[in-house]
Amino acid sequence: MPQQPQERPAGGRSFRTTEVDVARDWLKTAYGTSLRMRTPTPHRPFQYSRTSAGPLSLSTLALPTEYSYATDPLGAVAITHVVGGRMVRECADDVTRAGAGDVLAISQPHLPYSGRVYHAELRAVTVPLALVQEAAGRPAGQKSRPLRFTRFTPVTRAMADQWKRTVDYVEASVLALPEGAAPLVVDAAARLLAATVLAAFPADARPEPVLADTRDATSETVRRAVAFIESHPAAEIGLADAAAAAGVTPRALQYAFRRHLGTTPMAYLRRVRLSQAHADLVAADPARDTVTAIAHRWGFHHQGRFAAAYREAYGVRPRDALAGS
């Protein structure tokens, strides 16, 4: 009997079967694909696992057969690492072939796509389109042409490797957290992946600078954004949220912070959250609270970086501040 999907930490599930009809039907249900599949290699099961946290999902799929598929637009950014085997993917007029070790963007987010997979093991990450657009500096809610990849493979082999390392880090240290834990850490990881997408894959994502961006880079813009950030330190906010609160574009807000504060909006947000973590450490009960839990509460997952930033700001180690509570 095929195994049924099983719950895993952080919103995950897994599936395993040796029956081709079960695998085909399951994929159609899970992804809404039109699918044709050959009989798998005997005694080698179809395996699928998915782990999700917040807006992120990481899926691994191993299917010892050849299959073709066609599907509707994702409305999200999906990046696939071909761990083994090979695949061919078509989107609009682009045909991309990938083999073991390759990384590719699976489609234009707003267009349908199709492909063929040959005895492959795949590792796919889905990132919300809105986060990628925000990382590119597109104003939230503003109508504009869809984000388009100008090529579907990374700009260099080094950037392909960087993508894999980033996914490994997020899987091991963020997606492994208990479901619902440390939402600011999950939000930061999602934004890290969105930024890495833009660094690795060429795209016409960034808006052209306009005169208003420079004109709006005023001290009043900074004041409005600072007020918003300081009143929402525990919220899952990003550059676009702060810019919207200030009534300017993300680019104008970046200009304003550099001009008047010598920093960036997101660096200022981290500084505010570090101050909140400091207050919690000073008020904590060392018998009940931990540095890790407090750091996670305020979006700091990497304990070494948190400790370094804390010591630079407050002159002591976080654990010393906690011990002196």
Side-chain angles (χ1 to χ4, degrees):
M1 290 290 293
Q3 294 181 359
Q4 297 301 310
Q6 300 171 350
E7 289 302 312
R8 290 157 58 91
R13 56 181 171 175
S14 60
F15 186 78
R16 175 187 173 99
T17 184
T18 56
E19 299 180 32
V20 64
D21 290 341
V22 173
R24 182 192 301 113
D25 292 345
W26 190 88
L27 283 171
K28 286 181 179 179
T29 300
Y31 292 101
T33 59
S34 171
L35 191 71
R36 291 184 299 169
M37 185 184 298
R38 291 188 179 182
T39 301
T41 303
H43 311 301
R44 291 186 60 195
F46 161 76
Q47 298 183 79
Y48 172 87
S49 67
R50 178 178 181 272
T51 306
S52 62
L56 296 178
S57 71
L58 169 64
S59 301
T60 59
L61 182 150
L63 192 56
T65 187
E66 297 179 16
Y67 64 98
S68 58
Y69 62 89
T71 190
D72 293 332
L74 285 173
V77 173
I79 308 297
T80 295
H81 170 200
V82 183
V83 178
R86 58 192 178 91
M87 66 178 295
V88 180
R89 198 275 298 119
E90 298 183 29
C91 183
D93 57 352
D94 179 88
V95 178
T96 301
R97 293 174 171 81
D102 290 338
V103 175
L104 73 156
I106 205 67
S107 71
Q108 302 290 10
H110 63 290
L111 294 178
Y113 63 100
S114 61
R116 191 170 187 87
V117 180
Y118 302 87
H119 298 266
E121 180 182 350
L122 308 176
R123 194 166 184 236
V125 174
T126 303
V127 183
L129 179 58
L131 284 184
V132 179
Q133 291 175 324
E134 179 181 330
R138 289 193 176 192
Q142 184 181 89
K143 290 185 177 180
S144 59
R145 69 182 187 278
L147 178 147
R148 294 184 63 94
F149 291 106
T150 54
R151 61 182 272 183
F152 291 90
T153 53
V155 289
T156 63
R157 173 58 65 180
M159 285 310 306
D161 292 341
Q162 179 63 41
W163 172 259
K164 296 173 192 176
R165 287 194 296 270
T166 303
V167 173
D168 287 343
Y169 165 75
V170 171
E171 180 183 26
S173 58
V174 178
L175 294 180
L177 292 171
E179 187 170 3
L184 292 185
V185 170
V186 175
D187 181 65
R191 296 178 190 278
L192 170 64
L193 285 170
T196 307
V197 167
L198 291 176
F201 296 89
D204 62 350
R206 300 186 186 279
E208 293 297 322
V210 295
L211 181 60
D213 291 338
T214 302
R215 183 195 64 211
D216 291 340
T218 65
S219 58
E220 177 60 20
T221 291
V222 171
R223 186 195 67 76
R224 290 194 298 267
V226 164
F228 173 76
I229 289 170
E230 291 184 348
S231 62
H232 297 82
E236 297 173 20
I237 59 175
L239 176 62
D241 302 298
V248 299
T249 68
R251 192 188 298 272
L253 189 64
Q254 290 173 320
Y255 288 163
F257 267 71
R258 290 194 189 101
R259 178 181 295 174
H260 297 284
L261 296 183
T263 188
T264 68
M266 293 302 94
Y268 188 85
L269 174 61
R270 288 191 293 272
R271 187 188 308 169
V272 170
R273 287 175 174 169
L274 185 65
S275 175
Q276 296 290 329
H278 169 66
D280 283 0
L281 284 167
V282 170
D285 178 356
R288 183 188 62 203
D289 301 309
T290 66
V291 170
T292 297
I294 291 171
H296 282 182
R297 182 183 306 154
W298 294 106
F300 299 97
H301 185 270
H302 193 292
Q303 295 304 297
R305 293 173 188 163
F306 172 70
Y310 187 89
R311 186 163 189 169
E312 181 178 356
Y314 298 103
V316 297
R317 296 174 299 181
R319 64 186 183 188
D320 295 334
L322 178 64
S325 299

